[in-house]
Amino acid sequence: YRQKRLIFIQTVLFLAALLLLYIFYYQDNVSKQPIVKVKTENENLEKLGESNFFEDIEYKGIDANGNRYLLKSKIASFDEKSPELVNMIGMNATFYFKDGTILEITGKTGMYNNKTNDMQFREDVKVEQAENRIFADNLDYFNLKKLIKVYGNVIGKSLDGNFYSDILILNIDTQSVDFLMNNN
């Protein structure tokens, strides 16, 4: 009887120890996760360096050619001195052209001018239209000039072929493309 009682007590103590280890280990992991999220959000906000922050922003409009666009951002801010310039983190623009084609542009950071509808995309810029892709460091969309300037390690991939360029200028009005290289 004494031996059975001793085994029972040892089993209960062992299970209690396992339960406590699991609880403390699980709680330790749970407490670490929100800290990482808060740190990354603080870093994103520090990049903007502004005082007026907004999350999940959407701008809808019509460009100079009469095409609809939708601009989204995860985090946005503006300075009270120039409220028309909106700094953004996690930019995503979708252009809906009159002929039915869709153009999507994404970038980690950038700026939107809500008066002229000009857009600047920075860091890991990706342009997609049907099966065509362009990757670059920077992209500037000039609404009134009807130009798109892509520059910095420009790589293009499509079914027709691939290309590399330092600067790519797309004229929306004439639908022409200029490839420019900094060196020979």
Side-chain angles (χ1 to χ4, degrees), residues 90-145:
M91 288 181 71
N92 183 2
T94 306
F95 291 87
Y96 302 95
F97 295 108
K98 294 174 186 175
D99 64 358
T101 58
I102 297 173
L103 174 72
E104 290 190 38
I105 305 171
T106 60
K108 282 188 177 179
T109 63
M111 187 181 304
Y112 173 64
N113 186 326
N114 58 25
K115 287 189 179 179
T116 63
N117 296 332
D118 290 347
M119 300 175 201
Q120 297 176 352
F121 295 83
R122 301 291 181 258
E123 298 180 56
D124 295 330
V125 176
K126 184 178 179 182
V127 180
E128 293 183 43
Q129 184 178 24
E131 298 296 322
N132 304 315
R133 310 266 186 283
I134 297 175
F135 304 93
D137 295 334
N138 306 294
L139 183 143
D140 295 336
Y141 169 69
F142 302 105
N143 182 44
L144 298 177
K145 295 179 182 178

Side-chain angles (χ1 to χ4, degrees), residues 44-59:
N44 286 341
L45 296 177
E46 286 174 4
K47 281 184 185 177
L48 293 175
E50 309 295 337
S51 59
N52 300 313
F53 297 99
F54 302 95
E55 293 183 13
D56 299 323
I57 301 299
E58 285 188 6
Y59 284 97

Side-chain angles (χ1 to χ4, degrees), residues 38-86:
V38 169
K39 283 183 181 178
T40 55
E41 285 181 9
N42 285 342
E43 288 173 2
N44 286 341
L45 296 177
E46 286 174 4
K47 281 184 185 177
L48 293 175
E50 309 295 337
S51 59
N52 300 313
F53 297 99
F54 302 95
E55 293 183 13
D56 299 323
I57 301 299
E58 285 188 6
Y59 284 97
K60 296 178 182 178
I62 298 175
D63 67 7
N65 290 325
N67 300 309
R68 293 182 307 115
Y69 69 88
L70 173 64
L71 176 63
K72 296 181 182 181
S73 174
K74 292 179 183 177
I75 300 174
S77 73
F78 66 91
D79 186 8
E80 291 178 11
K81 295 176 185 173
S82 54
E84 71 276 1
L85 299 177
V86 181

Side-chain angles (χ1 to χ4, degrees), residues 6-21:
L6 189 60
I7 290 175
F8 176 72
I9 292 173
Q10 287 176 344
T11 305
V12 169
L13 287 174
F14 179 72
L15 290 174
L18 283 176
L19 182 63
L20 289 172
L21 280 171

